[in-house]
Amino acid sequence: MARLTGVEKTLASTTAVIFRVVRKKLGRVPRPLRIHALSKPNLRGYAMMEGAQEAARAVPAHVKKLAQIRVATRVGCPF
């Protein structure tokens, strides 16, 4: 059982928008994002970092996906 559960329901507009976008993209809101939502500046920074990484065009999208899978297997994360 995790020590932190994170934010389950949100009333803050920024957090609600971020949760809605992530839920639409992934089908759920992952626990790390819920934990980041405990601090609004932390959540905003995390969302900006993720957005910048998604928008980066220096590497083709299929290479990004391969890199994500490779990193996940190296660190033992179920992908």
Side-chain angles (χ1 to χ4, degrees), residues 38-60:
L38 292 171
S39 167
K40 197 170 184 176
N42 190 10
L43 177 65
R44 189 178 310 122
Y46 180 75
M48 290 174 63
M49 179 193 69
E50 288 289 329
Q53 289 174 349
E54 289 264 336
R57 301 283 183 236
V59 178

Side-chain angles (χ1 to χ4, degrees), residues 10-71:
T10 179
L11 298 176
S13 61
T14 307
T15 306
V17 169
I18 292 172
F19 277 20
R20 192 175 316 119
V21 169
V22 170
R23 190 175 294 115
K24 184 177 179 183
K25 184 176 180 180
L26 301 177
R28 64 183 180 87
V29 179
R31 184 176 306 258
L33 187 61
R34 291 183 187 279
I35 293 172
H36 282 294
L38 292 171
S39 167
K40 197 170 184 176
N42 190 10
L43 177 65
R44 189 178 310 122
Y46 180 75
M48 290 174 63
M49 179 193 69
E50 288 289 329
Q53 289 174 349
E54 289 264 336
R57 301 283 183 236
V59 178
H62 70 280
V63 176
K64 284 184 191 180
K65 290 292 181 192
L66 287 173
Q68 289 172 350
I69 293 169
R70 176 69 175 154
V71 169

